[in-house]
């Protein structure tokens, strides 16, 4: 401990009388928070004095005044009947036309067996043993993997990591059954629901579309009822999970008293690339085995046991633009090997799709304070030609939790910067990418499961799920928690190891 100099003043004098940097002052956040509450609750602040005045006026009424009022209404029977009829009609119209609530009863994420674990070192060893990759492309895969954000415990199907690989239809079906039935068995156990109770079934898998379909495989395995409404979505990329949720929501509006089952997954076995086109090798380094099953209901009696209520879904499709349409494409390389090519324009296309999506979503979820600031900035720039920076709304005022598709490290970095999110908000996405890799459309549910396992989900919390997909698409879903989720009572793939997270993920992790 250093000794004090008796000649040195206890309070250091400033060399100049500069004002503090108010932009960096921590107290500014309280000013903004106060403005947010003032505008958001402005209606209540306006109505409160009015209600007080009306209550004060009513308190001055005497018994004689009330009798005179009743006597006046008694001789205006036609007016009373007309007003009552109109009131009953409007109330009936409201209850008949309001949308059915969509509840998320529960969901489950598949966790493969330990035998399916594939560390980065095993990945590189198996890639070398296939004998199909050049030394330059093996080194390219190593560099991608070192910067990917993936950890040492992701999963790959047996047909891919065995020596030699055995990608065939039988193995692909085996993987699909393992993922779908594994997630569904756990979901039926958690909800105590009988398979015969399912009225709507939607399965999405982008690259594996066998005949009979994946949805038919589920119906056959669980002996679902004959009048079930089933859909099998293919070729819609990593955002297909939210498309399935949106489709289920629409179906639940016209089929009352129903349960909808959504299964989101991807199949690795038949879509592993064994060629040397670098644009197709990136997907090998990022995509891993996984899937999720989600149970939705429109029964109001399920409100008490459901976890979430679906608030909004917003879908954005940029497929009319050729550059957007071709930025993620499944095709053959010059040697005839099939793979998924990722364009260099992918990040720019994703950014444009995101901007369109949040422009639509913003007015639905942002508080009035943020909308007024955004509108004022827009008017200043466009109408008065003022040199103002574009105002980026603070989505942290609209949502407590963010589930951003764990497509890769670059995507997460860009969204963290553009949406001005903190490490805490990005933690579920980054840890999902590290632990399970890119599991395509199901990654959003591993992220939500992470938040539940950490005990973060409280009653009333709002969660924003956002995902990107080929085509090009950007889709969003907003959920509101109906109850506080107790992690001690949860069963999800994080529970037996959640104490190990979060972990530090370096920008470059050498293999």
């Amino acid at each position: 401990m250093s000794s004090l100099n008796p000649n040195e003043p206890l309070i250091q004098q400033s060399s100049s009388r500069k004002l503090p940097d108010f932009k960096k002052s921590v107290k500014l956040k309280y000013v903004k928070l106060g403005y947010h509450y003032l505008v958001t609750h402005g209606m209540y602040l306006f109505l409160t004095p009015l209600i007080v005045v009306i209550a004060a006026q009513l308190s001055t009424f005497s018994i004689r005044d009330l009798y005179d009022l009743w006597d006046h209404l008694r001789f205006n029977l036609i007016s009373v009947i007309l007003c009552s009829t109109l009131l009953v009609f409007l109330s009936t119209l409201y209850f008949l036309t309001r949308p059915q609530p969509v509840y998320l009863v529960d969901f489950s994420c598949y966790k493969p067996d330990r035998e399916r674990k594939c560390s980065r070192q095993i990945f590189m060893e198996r890639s070398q043993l296939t004998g199909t990759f050049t030394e330059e492309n093996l080194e390219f895969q190593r560099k991608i993997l070192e910067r990917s954000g993936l950890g040492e415990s992701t999963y790959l199907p047996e047909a891919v990591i065995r020596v030699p690989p055995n990608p065939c239809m039988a193995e692909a079906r085996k993987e699909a059954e393992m993922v779908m039935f594994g997630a569904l068995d756990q979901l039926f156990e958690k909800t105590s629901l009988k398979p015969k109770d399912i009225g709507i079934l939607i399965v999405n898998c982008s690259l594996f579309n066998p005949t009979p379909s994946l949805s038919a495989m589920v119906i056959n395995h669980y002996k679902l009822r004959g009048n079930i409404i089933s859909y099998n979505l293919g070729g819609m990329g990593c955002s297909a999970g939210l498309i399935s949720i949106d489709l289920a929501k629409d179906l639940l509006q016209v089929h009352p008293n129903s349960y909808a089952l959504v299964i989101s997954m991807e199949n690795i076995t038949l879509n592993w690339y064994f060629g040397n086109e670098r644009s197709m090798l990136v997907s090998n380094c990022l995509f891993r085995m996984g899937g999720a099953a989600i149970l939705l209901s429109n029964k109001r009696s399920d409100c008490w046991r459901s976890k979430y209520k679906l608030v909004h879904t917003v879908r954005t499709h940029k497929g009319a633009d050729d550059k957007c349409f071709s930025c993620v494409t499944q095709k053959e390389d010059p040697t005839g090997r099939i793979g998924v090519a990722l364009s260099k324009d992918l990040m720019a296309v994703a950014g444009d799709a995101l901007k369109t999506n949040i422009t639509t979503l913003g007015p639905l979820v942002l508080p009035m304070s943020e909308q007024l600031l955004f509108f004022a900035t827009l008017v200043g720039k466009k109408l008065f030609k003022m040199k103002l920076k574009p105002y980026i709304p603070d989505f942290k005022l609209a949502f407590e939790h963010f589930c951003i598709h764990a497509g890769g490290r670059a995507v997460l970095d860009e969204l963290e910067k553009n949406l001005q999110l903190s490490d805490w908000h990005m933690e579920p996405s980054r840890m999902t990418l590290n632990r399970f890799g890119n599991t395509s459309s199901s990654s959003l549910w591993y992220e939500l499961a992470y938040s539940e396992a950490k005990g973060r989900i409280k009653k009333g919390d709002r969660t924003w799920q956002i995902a990107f997909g080929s085509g090009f698409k950007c889709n969003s879903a907003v959920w509101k928690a109906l109850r506080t989720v107790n992690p001690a009572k949860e069963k999800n793939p994080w529970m037996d190891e959640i104490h190990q997270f979060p972990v530090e993920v370096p920008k470059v992790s050498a293999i």
Side-chain angles (χ1 to χ4, degrees):
M1 190 173 186
S2 59
S3 60
L4 292 173
N5 185 348
N7 298 321
E8 183 179 352
L10 293 176
I11 302 177
Q12 298 292 330
Q13 299 295 324
S14 174
S15 59
S16 62
R17 293 182 176 272
K18 291 183 179 179
L19 289 172
D21 188 351
F22 290 110
K23 289 185 178 181
K24 295 182 179 179
S25 173
V26 70
K27 295 181 181 178
L28 260 187
K29 72 177 183 180
Y30 298 113
V31 175
K32 183 176 181 180
L33 194 62
Y35 162 76
H36 159 64
Y37 280 115
L38 177 65
V39 176
T40 302
H41 302 289
M43 183 61 71
Y44 300 108
L45 296 175
F46 172 76
L47 289 177
T48 301
L50 185 63
I51 293 173
V52 171
V53 170
I54 293 174
Q57 184 66 30
L58 291 175
S59 65
T60 62
F61 274 39
S62 64
I63 299 296
R64 180 64 186 175
D65 293 330
L66 294 174
Y67 177 79
D68 290 341
L69 180 62
W70 166 251
D71 194 53
H72 175 73
L73 292 174
R74 188 174 58 181
F75 291 103
N76 289 273
L77 186 61
I78 296 177
S79 299
V80 173
I81 292 174
L82 288 176
C83 290
S84 301
T85 303
L86 180 63
L87 184 63
V88 171
F89 172 75
L90 292 177
S91 300
T92 304
L93 185 66
Y94 168 75
F95 283 106
L96 289 178
T97 58
R98 65 173 178 169
Q100 293 273 0
V102 176
Y103 302 113
L104 193 162
V105 180
D106 213 331
F107 68 97
S108 63
C109 300
Y110 176 66
K111 187 174 184 178
D113 298 332
R114 292 183 179 180
E115 291 77 15
R116 303 282 75 79
K117 275 191 179 181
C118 179
S119 67
R120 295 180 305 153
Q121 186 64 45
I122 292 177
F123 175 90
M124 291 306 304
E125 289 175 359
R126 297 296 193 273
S127 296
Q128 188 173 16
L129 288 172
T130 59
T132 62
F133 303 114
T134 64
E135 288 297 325
E136 293 79 7
N137 281 329
L138 284 170
E139 185 60 27
F140 172 75
Q141 291 183 77
R142 180 187 300 275
K143 289 181 179 179
I144 293 293
L145 207 56
E146 289 177 342
R147 293 162 174 78
S148 66
L150 271 70
E152 302 292 348
S153 300
T154 58
Y155 301 94
L156 282 174
E158 180 184 1
V160 171
I161 60 176
R162 65 172 291 183
V163 181
N166 183 31
C168 63
M169 183 62 77
E171 288 293 329
R173 284 184 176 276
K174 179 180 175 181
E175 179 194 348
E177 292 172 354
M178 191 181 302
V179 172
M180 292 192 303
F181 302 160
L184 284 173
D185 287 345
Q186 187 181 106
L187 182 63
F188 286 135
E189 180 184 348
K190 291 168 72 172
T191 60
S192 301
L193 195 71
K194 297 177 181 179
K196 291 285 186 181
D197 294 331
I198 303 298
I200 300 168
L201 172 66
I202 303 171
V203 181
N204 68 265
C205 183
S206 187
L207 296 175
F208 182 55
N209 293 285
T211 301
S213 66
L214 296 174
S215 59
M217 291 166 60
V218 174
I219 293 171
N220 176 260
H221 181 80
Y222 290 98
K223 308 305 177 187
L224 303 185
R225 64 196 200 198
N227 64 343
I228 191 169
I229 301 167
S230 68
Y231 292 86
N232 200 94
L233 307 183
M236 306 193 80
C238 299
S239 67
L242 295 185
I243 294 175
S244 298
I245 294 294
D246 185 62
L247 174 59
K249 179 194 75 172
D250 291 343
L251 291 170
L252 287 171
Q253 297 306 310
V254 295
H255 295 280
N257 204 37
S258 298
Y259 285 109
L261 184 60
V262 174
I263 303 171
S264 294
M265 59 167 291
E266 193 50 80
N267 193 280
I268 305 293
T269 299
L270 282 182
N271 298 288
W272 200 254
Y273 178 61
F274 292 97
N276 283 284
E277 286 290 315
R278 292 195 173 183
S279 64
M280 299 181 179
L281 283 171
V282 176
S283 59
N284 281 12
C285 301
L286 298 177
F287 282 88
R288 295 295 183 266
M289 186 179 179
I294 305 97
L295 180 64
L296 303 174
S297 171
N298 60 8
K299 300 181 180 183
R300 295 186 185 276
S301 59
D302 279 326
C303 179
W304 67 272
R305 69 166 183 152
S306 298
K307 285 184 173 180
Y308 306 93
K309 180 181 179 180
L310 183 60
V311 183
H312 299 293
T313 55
V314 175
R315 292 169 58 177
T316 302
H317 206 304
K318 310 292 286 187
D321 184 279
D322 291 340
K323 185 172 71 172
C324 298
F325 174 76
S326 59
C327 69
V328 181
T329 310
Q330 186 182 25
K331 61 182 183 180
E332 294 176 333
D333 68 6
T335 65
R337 293 186 173 95
I338 297 177
V340 177
L342 305 180
S343 167
K344 293 180 180 179
D345 298 323
L346 179 59
M347 292 304 299
V349 167
D352 183 53
L354 173 66
K355 183 174 68 174
T356 305
N357 190 270
I358 64 176
T359 301
T360 307
L361 180 68
L364 300 175
V365 298
L366 285 170
M368 187 58 67
S369 57
E370 288 298 292
Q371 296 192 47
L372 288 176
L373 286 173
F374 177 80
F375 180 73
T377 305
L378 187 65
V379 170
K381 285 185 63 179
K382 300 295 184 182
L383 191 60
F384 299 103
K385 307 300 181 184
M386 299 172 66
K387 294 182 179 179
L388 299 172
K389 292 183 178 180
Y391 182 73
I392 300 175
D394 187 358
F395 279 91
K396 296 187 293 294
L397 293 173
F399 306 110
E400 285 74 32
H401 310 284
F402 296 80
C403 294
I404 301 168
H405 168 54
R409 184 173 199 143
V411 175
L412 298 181
D413 288 346
E414 283 300 311
L415 264 73
E416 178 181 8
K417 181 177 69 175
N418 291 328
L419 296 177
Q420 300 176 353
L421 302 179
S422 66
D423 291 340
W424 188 89
H425 292 114
M426 296 299 298
E427 188 180 309
S429 299
R430 293 196 185 280
M431 294 305 103
T432 295
L433 181 63
N434 178 268
R435 178 62 182 85
F436 293 97
N438 181 349
T439 60
S440 190
S441 57
S442 66
S443 68
L444 299 173
W445 302 103
Y446 287 91
E447 294 163 18
L448 186 57
Y450 179 90
S451 296
E452 291 185 352
K454 279 290 184 180
R456 294 182 175 185
I457 305 296
K458 310 298 181 185
K459 184 178 180 179
D461 282 2
R462 297 152 298 177
T463 300
W464 181 17
Q465 290 182 322
I466 184 165
F468 303 92
S470 57
F472 190 86
K473 299 179 284 294
C474 178
N475 300 321
S476 293
V478 178
W479 303 91
K480 183 177 181 180
L482 297 176
R483 57 183 171 89
T484 298
V485 178
N486 183 0
K489 298 180 179 179
E490 283 302 304
K491 184 178 182 182
N492 72 43
W494 295 95
M495 292 313 303
D496 58 347
E497 52 186 293
I498 191 63
H499 60 281
Q500 301 173 14
F501 293 91
V503 297
E504 182 66 26
V505 183
K507 290 187 176 180
V508 180
S509 180
I511 300 176

